[in-house]
Amino acid sequence: MRKNKKPKLAVWKFTSCDGCQLSLLDCEDELLALSDKVEIANFLEASRAVLKGPYDLSLVEGSITTPQDAERIHQVRRVSKLLITIGACAASGGIQALRNFKEVKQFISIVYAKPEYIETLNKSTPISDHVPVDFELRGCPVNKYQLLEIIAAFLNRRKPVISARSVCMDCKLKGTVCVMVADRIPCLGPVTHAGCCALCPSIHRGCYGCFGPKETPNTASLSRTWEKLGADQDDLVRVFRSFNSGAEPFRRESEIHEIKKD
Amino acid sequence: MGAKYVLQASQFQFLFDALTARGYQVIGPKLQDGAIVYDALSSVQDLPAGWTDQQEAGTYRLENRSDSAFFGYTVGPYSWKKFLHLPARKLKRGKSAEGEFHFVSENEEIPKLAFVGVRACELHAMTIQDKIFMGGIYRDSSYAERRENIFVIAVNCGKAGGTCFCVSMKTGPKASGGYDWVLTEVIEKDRHYFVVESGTGAGKEILAGEEILKELDCPLAAEAEIALSERIVEETACQMGRRLKTEGIKDLLYKNLEHPHWDEVANRCLTCGNCTMVCPTCFCASIAEITDLTGEKVERVQKWDSCFTEDFSYIHGGSIRKTAKSRYRQWMTHKLAYWIDQFGTSGCVGCGRCITWCPAGIDITEEAKGFYGDS
Ligand code: SF4
Ligand code: SF4
Ligand code: SF4
Ligand code: SF4
C-alpha cells in the first residue's frame, strides 16, 4: 500500500433496493477500522461529502435498467482502479430482471399513470454485461462478513477467501440435517453459491437461491429431484426465476420448464 | 475376547453416571430435526428410544418402533468424525511486526468424550482416519490428542439400514475391535438388557471400563444370553440393504477411467459435495490465511473441503477437475481403488451415508455395477 496516502473507496448505486449498501452500513463495529484504512470518498448512503476520483476501489450495487445507467457505468469504470460488484442485481440483473421474460412496455402501462414519462430499457442486465468487473460478490443481500473480507483482501493485496461451492457444504459444516433428504422440502442448495452460511436450511426451509448459481451447477439434475418431491413445471419456472433469474444457468433452466409446461 | 456381562436396561443411566464421574462428557445418538445425530447427551432419556430410520438413496425417514430399543436404528448423517477431525478450526494466529508475520499456535481445549453407540462400520472408519492423521510422519496433533481422550462404547447393530453394506466391506455389523466396551442390545418378551464385553480398545481406558463394570455389579452373561445376542447380530448381517462386489474392484476401476458410465453419473451428479462431507473416512480440508482490515492480524483456519469443489483442485493456472465427471471419478476411484494403494485398505466402510444423503440419490454400489460387465 502507498505510504501516507489512504486508498479511496467509492460506493455506487444503480438499479437496486440499497440492501447491499445497508450491509456495509451494518458493519458498525468494523466501519471505524475501515475508515482508518481507507478514505470513504463516495458513499451517499453514509455521507453527502464526495471526493474527486480516481478511486482505488469501487463497490457497485445494482443492475443496468435505464439508458442513463448504461452511460454512467462506463464513467464509473473509467474512474475506478478496481471495480467490485456487490449483490444479485449487479451480478445477474436482480429481481427486476423478471422483465427480461416479458415485454416491458406492458408492465409500464399497468403500473404507471403516465407511462410516457418512463424511460427504461427492455432488459435489466448485470454490470459485467457492460464493463469489465474485477470481482462479483454474490447475495441478495450480500453477507457483511464477505463484504469486509473482499475489502480486507483488497487492502492486503491478497485473494479473497470466498468460495463458489454449494450451500450444501455449509449445511454440512454447520451440522444441519438436510431438509430435502430428511423432510422432502425442495431446496436449491445443491446448485446455489454458498455465502449465507446455509441460513434457510438451518431454520427448516429450503434454500431460495439468493446467492445465484454455484460453479458447475447441475440444474437439470436438481429439477429431477424436485419433480420427485412433487414440484410441477410451474414451480420449477418460478423457483429459478427469483433474485437471480438473469444468471445464465437459472434463466436457461426456467425456460426449459416453461417450454415443458406448454 | 473379554468376559461378557449383563447390564440391565434400567441400569443404563448408571453407566452414564460412571462416565460422567470420570470426567467424560457423554456423546451419543439423539433426535434432531427429523434425524438421529450424535450430540451431547445429558441422560439416557436423550437417546432416541423407540425410534428407527428408513433409509434409501436420497431419502431418510424416522419411524416409531414397536419396542423401546435404545439403538434400534442405523447411522445418521453425521459420523463421529466431527468430534475428531473438526469441521472448522483455527490453527494459528499471527501478528505483523516489521513487515513479517509471527505466528503462534492456537491453544485448543481437548475435551474428554465418551462416544456411546459407535457402530462397527464407524470403528473401522476411525481406524482408517487414525492411519491418515497419526500413521505417518505428518501427525495431526489436534486429531491425535482428541483421539486419545475418548472412551468408545460400541454397539453391535441389531438392525441394518436400507443403504448399509458393511458385510460387503467386511467391517460389520459386529464390532471387531477398537472399542473400550461393546454392547449388544437384547429385547425379550419381558426383559431388556445389554450383553457387555469390555475392551479391545487401546490403553488405560480398558481399566476404567472394567472398573465401571465392577461398580455396577453386573453378573456374567449366561450362555443362552450370549447365544441370543450373537444371533441378533447374525440376523443383522442378513439384512444388508446394499451389496458391493469388491473382488478386483481396484483394477476394474483403473482399467475403466474413460468408461462412458462416468458421463452417465455426471449427468446426475450435482457436485454438491454432500457425499464427502457425510463420509466417515473422507478427510480433506483446505487451509486459508485471512488477514483483518488492518492487515496486522492474520488467522490460519482449516475447514472441511471436498474433491467435488472446483477450488479444491486449483493449482497454478486453474482447476484441474472442472467437470462433474472428473470429480465423481476422483471420488469413487479414491474410495474404492487408490485408497488401497495409499493406505492399505478400502476407503469405504459401507456405512451407506453417501447414498442416503445424496440429494440426487447417487448410489456408489449401483455405480460400481456400471463398470462390471464390459471391463
Ligand atoms: S438442506 Fe439444501 S443446502 Fe442443505 S444439504 Fe440439503 S439440499 Fe443442500
Ligand atoms: S453398515 Fe453395518 S455396522 Fe454400519 S450401521 Fe449399517 S449394519 Fe451397522
Ligand atoms: S454424488 Fe451426490 S452427494 Fe456427491 S456430489 Fe454428486 S450429487 Fe452431491
Ligand atoms: S463411501 Fe459412502 S458408504 Fe463408503 S464409507 Fe463413505 S459414506 Fe460410507
Side-chain angles (χ1 to χ4, degrees):
Chain A
M1 243 357 75
R2 289 163 303 175
K3 283 256 161 66
N4 308 325
K5 218 172 157 202
K6 289 196 264 182
K8 282 195 206 161
L9 171 78
V11 182
W12 310 92
K13 173 185 159 64
F14 287 80
T15 305
S16 58
C17 75
D18 286 31
C20 292
Q21 293 188 63
L22 285 178
S23 301
L24 186 55
L25 280 179
D26 192 31
C27 300
E28 289 165 25
D29 296 342
E30 297 84 357
L31 271 182
L32 264 181
L34 181 64
S35 59
D36 211 38
K37 288 287 160 188
V38 298
E39 192 151 21
I40 301 184
N42 183 4
F43 185 16
L44 289 178
E45 188 124 325
S47 154
R48 269 188 304 185
V50 175
L51 300 178
K52 260 182 63 205
Y55 307 98
D56 297 280
L57 173 62
S58 278
L59 299 177
V60 176
E61 178 196 82
S63 69
I64 304 298
T65 61
T66 66
Q68 294 77 11
D69 281 352
E71 276 296 311
R72 191 161 57 96
I73 188 61
H74 287 280
Q75 290 163 16
V76 170
R77 179 69 263 193
R78 267 197 298 279
V79 295
S80 309
K81 289 195 184 143
L82 210 66
L83 189 158
I84 293 179
T85 69
I86 56 173
C89 298
S92 69
I95 193 78
Q96 58 275 22
L98 286 176
R99 69 166 68 176
N100 301 4
F101 299 93
K102 293 273 186 306
E103 190 47 61
V104 79
K105 284 204 192 89
Q106 292 173 357
F107 290 125
I108 297 174
S109 61
I110 297 169
V111 175
Y112 297 98
K114 295 209 179 294
E116 58 276 22
Y117 291 132
I118 304 297
E119 190 179 16
T120 189
L121 297 171
N122 271 333
K123 285 189 164 26
S124 168
T125 45
I127 301 300
S128 61
D129 276 11
H130 301 265
V131 295
V133 167
D134 297 297
F135 190 87
E136 285 178 332
L137 186 65
R138 308 283 210 87
C140 183
V142 293
N143 170 318
K144 78 172 192 183
Y145 299 104
Q146 288 202 331
L147 189 52
L148 288 168
E149 167 59 12
I150 45 164
I151 299 172
F154 156 74
L155 287 171
N156 295 291
R157 299 186 175 195
R158 62 173 172 84
K159 199 177 155 213
V161 181
I162 292 176
S163 167
R165 62 198 197 173
S166 69
V167 174
C168 300
M169 299 269 294
D170 281 348
C171 266
K172 291 295 181 283
L173 280 158
K174 265 172 100 169
T176 302
V177 173
C178 177
V179 300
M180 195 145 71
V181 169
D183 273 305
R184 300 180 61 85
I185 298 174
C187 178
L188 277 183
V191 297
T192 301
H193 191 293
C196 60
C197 260
L199 179 62
C200 290
S202 69
I203 51 166
H204 214 71
R205 309 182 73 148
C207 164
Y208 292 94
C210 305
F211 281 62
K214 72 182 265 289
E215 38 98 349
T216 60
N218 190 343
T219 51
S221 171
L222 186 65
S223 292
R224 289 193 291 270
T225 297
W226 275 55
E227 284 172 42
K228 279 189 210 140
L229 299 178
D232 61 20
Q233 300 304 319
D234 248 341
D235 297 331
L236 289 166
V237 173
R238 250 182 293 125
V239 73
F240 286 107
R241 269 186 206 167
S242 62
F243 331 101
N244 288 286
S245 65
E248 183 61 15
F250 284 9
R251 181 189 62 74
R252 233 185 314 120
E253 191 64 25
S254 79
E255 283 175 349
I256 287 169
H257 298 286
E258 189 148 66
I259 294 166
K260 279 197 191 165
K261 193 175 87 176
D262 300 329
Chain B
M1 279 229 269
K4 292 180 177 174
Y5 298 85
V6 167
L7 176 75
Q8 300 301 328
S10 55
Q11 283 180 303
F12 205 21
Q13 180 60 42
F14 298 144
L15 169 61
F16 277 49
D17 298 341
L19 290 166
T20 313
R22 281 168 180 77
Y24 287 102
Q25 184 182 18
V26 180
I27 310 284
K30 191 176 180 173
L31 290 180
Q32 183 205 302
D33 299 325
I36 292 167
V37 302
Y38 300 140
D39 200 353
L41 305 180
S42 47
S43 78
V44 287
Q45 300 291 334
D46 287 345
L47 288 167
W51 286 95
T52 190
D53 50 18
Q54 292 296 337
Q55 303 196 32
E56 265 312 319
T59 75
Y60 179 100
R61 297 288 168 270
L62 285 177
E63 279 174 16
N64 287 111
R65 287 174 61 94
S66 56
D67 59 21
S68 55
F70 287 111
F71 298 100
Y73 39 83
T74 56
V75 295
Y78 295 99
S79 67
W80 305 94
K81 170 170 94 171
K82 67 175 179 178
F83 300 106
L84 298 169
H85 170 44
L86 303 192
R89 79 191 175 89
K90 281 183 197 148
L91 303 177
K92 284 177 191 286
R93 238 162 338 112
K95 264 203 173 128
S96 95
E98 289 150 17
E100 272 182 36
F101 278 113
H102 300 271
F103 281 95
V104 286
S105 293
E106 285 288 345
N107 274 326
E108 286 192 317
E109 254 195 61
I110 306 292
K112 264 180 93 175
L113 304 179
F115 292 174
V116 175
V118 183
R119 306 306 174 117
C121 58
E122 299 182 308
L123 291 168
H124 278 268
M126 275 155 66
T127 309
I128 288 172
Q129 288 215 324
D130 288 352
K131 205 179 277 176
I132 296 160
F133 291 121
M134 321 189 321
I137 45 170
Y138 302 108
R139 196 176 139 91
D140 182 325
S141 57
S142 165
Y143 178 93
E145 274 181 58
R146 286 170 201 282
R147 190 71 171 89
E148 276 157 22
N149 281 284
I150 58 168
F151 189 93
V152 178
I153 299 188
V155 166
N156 286 322
C157 288
K159 166 198 183 272
T163 57
C164 290
F165 56 103
C166 57
V167 167
S168 304
M169 305 317 290
K170 301 187 179 63
T171 57
K174 188 176 163 57
S176 56
Y179 51 78
D180 296 296
W181 273 22
V182 59
L183 316 178
T184 310
E185 186 170 22
V186 185
I187 299 185
E188 291 182 82
K189 246 205 302 246
D190 46 3
R191 294 183 68 203
H192 186 179
Y193 60 94
F194 295 102
V195 172
V196 186
E197 192 180 342
S198 94
T200 54
K204 55 185 187 294
E205 303 308 343
I206 298 175
L207 290 175
E210 277 172 4
E211 226 177 81
I212 294 172
L213 277 170
K214 271 195 207 126
E215 254 171 55
L216 297 182
D217 215 6
C218 295
L220 280 172
E223 237 167 72
E225 289 163 334
I226 294 174
L228 186 54
S229 72
E230 279 169 1
R231 205 165 67 230
I232 289 172
V233 191
E234 280 158 22
E235 276 167 19
T236 304
C238 304
Q239 293 166 5
M240 292 291 124
R242 294 287 192 279
R243 216 172 292 270
L244 178 71
K245 200 165 137 191
T246 54
E247 220 187 281
I249 193 148
K250 185 178 104 178
D251 294 327
L252 178 74
L253 291 176
Y254 283 164
K255 263 191 279 170
N256 284 298
L257 294 176
E258 294 303 332
H259 194 286
H261 189 66
W262 298 115
D263 294 300
E264 208 283 306
V265 192
N267 226 334
R268 289 174 278 134
C269 178
L270 300 155
T271 62
C272 62
N274 275 305
C275 46
T276 53
M277 301 276 106
V278 296
C279 177
T281 69
C282 274
F283 57 88
C284 287
S286 55
I287 292 172
E289 279 171 5
I290 305 173
T291 48
D292 69 351
L293 282 171
T294 65
E296 281 147 23
K297 287 192 211 141
V298 61
E299 281 180 348
R300 184 177 296 166
V301 288
Q302 176 184 295
K303 249 188 184 184
W304 284 356
D305 207 335
S306 162
C307 49
F308 281 94
T309 71
E310 191 168 38
D311 279 356
F312 194 67
S313 67
Y314 186 94
I315 53 167
H316 173 77
S319 174
I320 51 168
R321 287 194 283 268
K322 285 193 188 302
T323 60
K325 172 185 169 178
S326 58
R327 295 183 214 168
Y328 189 84
R329 180 176 56 195
Q330 155 64 27
W331 183 69
M332 187 170 168
T333 52
H334 192 200
K335 290 275 108 158
L336 300 178
Y338 66 89
W339 203 291
I340 300 173
D341 292 332
Q342 199 180 5
F343 301 113
T345 64
S346 174
C348 174
V349 296
C351 72
R353 284 185 177 90
C354 58
I355 306 173
T356 302
W357 299 96
C358 169
I362 293 173
D363 177 343
I364 191 169
T365 64
E366 281 298 316
E367 301 319 326
K369 286 180 199 158
F371 300 101
Y372 284 101
D374 62 326
S375 54

